[in-house]
């Protein structure tokens, strides 16, 4: 149990996966010509993806082995392999080991950098893709998402194609950049800097009124919105916030607060009462990322659209997929739930927020969840549990847990806290 507790405290993340990586000194994007190429005369392809916690997971072949589940993430530049077994399985000639500095708490970690990698998505292949293989899986995306994740693919895929993401249909279509297509939806200018897309837009807060902001478009984070800085100072907090663990960076947990922004403008669309994370301010972030910005736009906003990225032309296209008014809800239990994978997935409680319904109910960190409302937890996915715990204010949930060798049943009453 002591080993499990250390694992939980080190790895669990409560809201999204913030991944800020600085590898440009080793793999400068400006001089790289590698792109994915279709075989033959193919001009486009459509593949299915898995959507978990608003994050896109696609099958990727590495050196013609696989497929492996990779997170498709506009927030990263070089390809990242998080599964440490690749260090033994891959031929890593001419690789170098470096310490990678990131945005979070803790010491720098080591990564093996190599170009001796071929990656394939569908019928599209890229040779010698710059890749970082971490010697320690500090993200632990597999536990966070409930399925085995081997790595993260970002800039080199998006920069090779016009990429259309159908969140409602779980379909990804990618076109050769010279293909003549007319993307659907509102056309919004974006800037690509250090392999990542940025957008200039406007938000409104209770304390600042309407202000212009620059946001990283980060579909690899499940949050709607993160606001980090304003004029190189911490972004002013709204009147009501709760402390929150906002994710994990290269070198540790990122803490902060969760609150709401009154209004977010996105092209011709407006979103109101937007759930927003406010990470603890870190003046080094701009230096590490190579660019100053106010915050990031996450996939809990993007998922309401048919999204088309055209990096070559510098545009983002958004077409609303339904007429419902989005409602953004935070977890109402105060529990972080994660999975240990094996013959049968096992669900555990990690961090519990102080004063939350989970703490008041008597639940404890390291409790194993065995049943929900008298149904075995094996009937649920991690995504199911995540949605259940933010369903609606006042809902009562019966949770059966295993603590050591003893079973306990608790009544958890959800509460909207922000």
């Amino acid at each position: 149990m002591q080993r499990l507790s250390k694992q939980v405290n080190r790895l669990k993340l409560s809201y999204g996966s913030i991944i800020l990586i600085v590898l440009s000194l080793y793999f400068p994007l400006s001089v790289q010509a590698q792109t994915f190429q279709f075989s033959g005369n193919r001009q486009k392809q459509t593949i299915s993806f898995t959507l978990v916690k608003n994050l896109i997971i696609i099958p990727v072949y590495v050196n013609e082995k696989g497929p492996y589940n990779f997170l498709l993430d506009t927030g990263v530049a070089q390809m990242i392999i998080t599964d440490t077994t690749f260090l033994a399985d891959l031929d890593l000639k001419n690789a170098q080991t470096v310490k990678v500095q990131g945005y979070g708490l803790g010491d720098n970690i080591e990564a093996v950098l190599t170009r001796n990698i071929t990656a394939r998505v569908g019928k599209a292949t890229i040779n010698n893709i710059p890749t970082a293989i971490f010697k320690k899986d500090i993200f632990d995306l597999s536990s966070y998402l409930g399925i085995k994740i081997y790595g993260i693919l970002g800039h080199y895929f998006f920069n090779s194609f016009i990429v259309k993401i159908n969140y409602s249909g779980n379909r990804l279509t990618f076109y050769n950049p010279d293909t003549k297509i007319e993307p659907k939806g509102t056309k919004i200018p974006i800037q690509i800097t250090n392999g990542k897309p940025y957008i200039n837009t406007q938000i409104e807060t209770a304390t600042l009124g309407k202000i212009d902001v620059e946001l990283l478009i980060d579909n690899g984070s499940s949050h709607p919105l993160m606001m980090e800085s304003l004029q190189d100072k911490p972004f002013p907090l709204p009147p009501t916030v709760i402390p929150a663990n906002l994710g994990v960076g290269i070198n540790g947990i990122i803490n902060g607060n969760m609150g709401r922004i009154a209004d977010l403008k996105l092209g011709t669309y407006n979103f109101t009462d937007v759930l927003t994370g406010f990470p603890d301010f870190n003046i080094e972030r701009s230096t590490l990322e190579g660019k100053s910005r106010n915050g990031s736009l996450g996939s809990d906003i993007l998922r309401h659209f048919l999204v088309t990225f055209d990096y070559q032309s510098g545009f983002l296209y958004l077409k609303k997929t339904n007429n419902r008014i989005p409602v953004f809800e935070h977890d109402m239990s105060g529990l972080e739930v994660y999975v240990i994978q094996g013959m049968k997935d096992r669900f555990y409680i990690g961090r519990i927020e102080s004063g939350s319904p989970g703490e008041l109910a008597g639940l404890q960190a390291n409790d194993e969840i065995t049943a929900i409302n008298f149904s075995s937890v094996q009937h649920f996915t991690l995504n199911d549990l995540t949605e259940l715990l933010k369903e609606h204010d006042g809902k009562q949930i019966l949770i059966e847990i295993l603590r050591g060798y003893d079973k306990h049943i608790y009544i958890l009453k959800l509460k909207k806290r922000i």
Side-chain angles (χ1 to χ4, degrees):
M1 184 62 72
Q2 184 180 15
R3 177 194 60 79
L4 178 60
S5 176
K6 288 181 179 179
Q7 182 188 41
V8 171
N9 291 334
R10 184 177 71 246
L11 296 177
K12 295 314 108 194
L13 46 154
S14 64
Y15 198 77
S17 177
I18 305 172
I19 303 169
L20 301 176
I21 296 171
V22 180
L23 298 171
S24 58
L25 290 176
Y26 308 99
F27 295 140
L29 291 170
S30 60
V31 299
Q32 297 300 325
Q34 294 99 326
T35 58
F36 281 86
Q37 300 288 334
F38 282 124
S39 57
N41 296 321
R42 181 182 290 271
Q43 294 295 307
K44 74 169 187 176
Q45 186 173 10
T46 299
I47 64 172
S48 298
F49 63 78
T50 302
L51 191 68
V52 181
K53 296 188 178 181
N54 304 323
L55 305 182
I56 296 171
I57 301 161
I58 63 170
V60 177
Y61 290 82
V62 178
N63 289 358
E64 288 306 317
K65 294 181 180 180
Y68 303 105
N69 291 327
F70 270 62
L71 183 67
L72 187 64
D73 186 354
T74 57
V76 300
Q78 288 75 19
M79 189 167 83
I80 300 164
I81 292 178
T82 57
D83 188 279
T84 57
T85 60
F86 276 79
L87 290 168
D89 294 341
L90 294 176
D91 180 10
L92 299 176
K93 295 178 181 177
N94 301 318
Q96 65 178 128
T97 299
V98 300
K99 288 190 175 181
V100 182
Q101 188 178 13
Y103 176 35
L105 303 174
D107 297 329
N108 297 342
I109 64 168
E110 288 189 335
V112 174
L113 307 183
T114 180
R115 291 185 175 88
N116 195 30
I117 298 286
T118 295
R120 177 166 63 84
V121 178
K123 301 294 184 180
T125 302
I126 183 172
N127 297 315
N128 307 119
I129 180 171
T131 303
I133 307 174
F134 287 105
K135 290 189 173 182
K136 181 179 178 182
D137 184 7
I138 55 94
F139 300 129
D140 199 27
L141 292 170
S142 300
S143 294
Y144 175 60
L145 296 176
I147 62 175
K148 179 64 176 178
I149 302 295
Y150 292 85
I152 308 164
L153 181 63
H155 169 80
Y156 282 92
F157 183 80
F158 285 95
N159 195 52
S160 300
F161 303 109
I162 299 171
V163 180
K164 181 171 68 176
I165 302 171
N166 185 337
Y167 279 93
S168 61
N170 288 27
R171 305 287 281 176
L172 179 74
T173 303
F174 40 106
Y175 306 81
N176 270 336
D178 56 355
T179 303
K180 295 186 182 299
I181 64 171
E182 294 183 6
K184 298 178 180 179
T186 299
K187 183 178 180 180
I188 304 173
I190 59 175
Q191 303 83 43
I192 310 299
T193 304
N194 294 331
K196 303 175 186 179
Y198 296 82
I199 185 173
N200 292 299
T201 188
Q202 187 180 80
I203 64 170
E204 182 177 354
T205 78
T207 54
L208 301 173
K210 294 181 179 181
I211 60 170
D212 294 328
V213 293
E214 183 176 38
L215 305 175
L216 168 68
I217 305 172
D218 188 2
N219 78 326
S221 291
S222 61
H223 63 269
L225 189 64
M226 288 276 187
M227 299 308 302
E228 301 164 26
S229 65
L230 185 64
Q231 298 176 346
D232 295 324
K233 296 180 180 180
F235 197 91
L237 296 178
T240 302
V241 295
I242 58 172
N245 170 2
L246 300 176
V248 62
I250 281 295
N251 46 16
I253 297 296
I254 298 174
N255 294 308
N257 292 279
M258 193 68 70
R260 292 185 181 272
I261 291 292
D263 186 83
L264 165 68
K265 181 177 176 61
L266 201 56
T268 58
Y269 301 101
N270 279 81
F271 294 87
T272 58
D273 202 26
V274 180
L275 189 67
T276 304
F278 300 88
D280 290 346
F281 182 67
N282 188 327
I283 192 66
E284 294 181 352
R285 182 196 53 75
S286 296
T287 302
L288 293 173
E289 196 171 354
K291 179 178 176 58
S292 62
R293 58 179 168 86
N294 301 110
S296 60
L297 179 75
S299 56
D300 201 14
I301 292 286
L302 296 174
R303 70 183 180 88
H304 298 284
F305 298 97
L306 178 69
V307 181
T308 303
F309 288 97
D310 186 348
Y311 276 28
Q312 291 77 17
S313 299
F315 289 104
L316 171 72
Y317 297 84
L318 299 177
K319 179 177 171 49
K320 201 80 178 293
T321 52
N322 61 68
N323 294 321
R324 295 192 297 270
I325 299 175
V327 177
F328 303 99
E329 291 298 359
H330 183 44
D331 163 74
M332 297 186 190
S333 69
L335 305 177
E336 294 176 1
V337 180
Y338 67 97
V339 170
I340 290 182
Q341 295 179 317
M343 294 289 292
K344 183 184 290 186
D345 287 351
R346 301 174 70 177
F347 295 75
Y348 288 87
I349 296 173
R351 176 177 174 270
I352 302 178
E353 294 176 9
S354 178
S356 68
E359 183 183 68
L360 295 176
L363 294 163
Q364 297 180 14
N366 303 328
D367 285 347
E368 180 180 356
I369 302 174
T370 56
I372 301 288
N373 294 332
F374 299 110
S375 294
S376 169
V377 76
Q378 299 306 317
H379 295 141
F380 296 83
T381 66
L382 184 59
N383 205 56
D384 292 335
L385 292 184
T386 300
E387 293 302 313
L388 182 68
L389 294 177
K390 60 181 182 181
E391 199 160 272
H392 65 78
D393 187 42
K395 178 170 182 165
Q396 293 189 350
I397 299 173
L398 210 61
I399 296 186
E400 180 184 288
I401 62 97
L402 185 63
R403 184 178 298 155
Y405 297 101
D406 300 323
K407 283 191 174 182
H408 302 268
I409 295 178
Y410 294 93
I411 297 176
L412 174 67
K413 185 176 182 179
L414 301 183
K415 181 180 180 180
K416 184 172 181 175
R417 293 171 291 154
I418 50 173

